[in-house]
């Protein structure tokens, strides 16, 4: 069974309600139809029911089991407005502005559904930038207890690959933090290890990646990853983590023997922490396109309740996968 099929099977064991607010997007409608057919989650769509059903008709989809919520006619609008006002009044939010935001911004309305536990999670980003998805999530849901920052990761399932966890890797941060400092990278490593355990169900083996292995090069970027490794080992001694490591030393046992002898991580890593967003975004997309890997994300970790982003280049099948992953995250809240 592939990684994503195992995730779908887990999602079916405890059905969760997932909000999909981008109802003007063809891929979202196609994904909703597949999610319902496969029994992965109960789908809530935010928007005008007539428009959604017209789209379903043209796409020959049966969305009769989807719950459609129109903010304008929602019986929860007043309660949501009051909650948003209370959360943001210190930032200058008025009741009138809160109501207008909820009526006009379907993503914000969807996040509020998650906040008020009328939904278990949300997936968006097919036609919105990451910042548009993340902003209301941070404003309304905030970070989980004990988490210092929210970060983004991808799960990549590489076919016919002997590395990682039978070809499955978690890569971070590939979608959110532009240039994390050493302390932030240590936090990202800890969150990523937890996400790997929760979603893949195997022991996380974490590599702090660099263009250097154990001091083979000298540069501030190398120093950052070396310091991040030191901080992570000090703050999270339970982690199996090492750095700084070049990618080949991290995942290829034969290379690790010569470049990082004695490292408990070298050659075995399945969680890869990149020095910055450039490296992470470039790295995961190269693996996705050249190795024909399935890439799911950017998933968000560190929020109090699950909301996940999508790449604007995603397919309907990608959306289905992220909804399944979000449902499993919701089971663990």
């Amino acid at each position: 069974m592939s990684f994503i099929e195992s995730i779908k099977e887990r999602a079916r064991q405890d059905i969760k309600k997932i909000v999909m607010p981008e109802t003007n997007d063809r891929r979202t409608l196609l994904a909703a139809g597949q999610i319902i057919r496969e029994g992965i989650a109960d789908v809530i769509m935010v928007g005008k029911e007539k428009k959604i059903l017209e789209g379903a008709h043209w796409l020959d989809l049966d969305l009769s089991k989807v719950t459609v919520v129109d903010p304008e006619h929602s019986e929860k609008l007043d309660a949501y407005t009051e909650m948003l006002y209370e959360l943001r009044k210190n930032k200058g939010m008025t009741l009138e502005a809160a109501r207008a935001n909820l009526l006009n911004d379907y993503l914000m309305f969807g996040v509020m559904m998650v906040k008020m536990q009328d939904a278990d999670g949300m997936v968006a980003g097919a036609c919105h930038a990451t910042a548009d998805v993340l902003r209301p999530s941070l404003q309304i849901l905030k970070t989980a207890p004990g988490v210092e920052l929210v970060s983004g990761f991808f799960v990549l399932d590489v076919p016919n690959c002997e590395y990682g966890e039978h070809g499955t890797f978690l890569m971070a941060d590939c979608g959110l933090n532009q240039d994390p400092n050493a302390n932030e990278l240590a936090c990202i490593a800890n969150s990523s290890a937890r996400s790997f355990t929760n979603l893949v169900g195997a022991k996380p083996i974490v590599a702090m990646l660099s263009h250097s292995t154990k001091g083979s090069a000298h540069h501030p970027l190398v120093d950052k990853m070396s310091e991040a490794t030191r901080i992570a080992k000090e703050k999270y001694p339970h982690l199996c983590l090492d750095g700084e490591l070049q990618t080949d030393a991290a995942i290829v046992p034969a290379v690790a023997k010569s470049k990082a002898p004695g490292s408990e991580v070298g050659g075995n890593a399945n969680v890869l922490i990149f020095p910055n967003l450039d490296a992470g975004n470039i790295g995961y997309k190269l693996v996705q396109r050249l190795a024909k890997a399935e890439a799911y994300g950017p998933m968000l970790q560190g929020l109090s309740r699950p909301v996940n982003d999508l790449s604007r280049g995603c397919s309907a099948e990608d959306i289905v996968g992220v909804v399944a992953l979000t449902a499993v995250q919701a089971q663990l809240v």
Side-chain angles (χ1 to χ4, degrees), residues 21-75:
E22 295 174 310
T23 48
N24 292 328
D25 189 274
R26 176 179 179 273
R27 295 164 296 174
T28 299
L29 297 178
L30 289 170
Q34 184 174 339
I35 291 161
I36 295 300
R37 288 195 305 275
E38 295 190 27
I40 295 167
D42 289 337
V43 174
I44 302 171
M45 307 197 85
V46 182
K48 303 295 183 184
E49 185 170 20
K50 181 180 178 182
K51 190 169 184 179
I52 292 168
L53 293 179
E54 284 177 352
H57 172 75
W58 286 108
L59 293 170
D60 195 24
L61 294 172
D62 179 8
L63 297 184
S64 60
K65 294 183 179 180
V66 166
T67 299
V68 177
V69 177
D70 182 347
E72 187 176 356
H73 301 294
S74 171
E75 62 183 19

Side-chain angles (χ1 to χ4, degrees), residues 190 193-194 203-204 232-241 264:
N190 185 52
R194 188 181 302 115
K203 178 184 177 180
K233 287 184 174 182
E234 183 177 292
K235 290 179 69 173
Y236 315 110
H238 61 283
L239 291 182
C240 179
L241 175 147
E264 63 176 340

Side-chain angles (χ1 to χ4, degrees), residues 253-264:
V255 175
K257 286 181 181 178
S258 62
K259 287 189 174 184
S263 171
E264 63 176 340

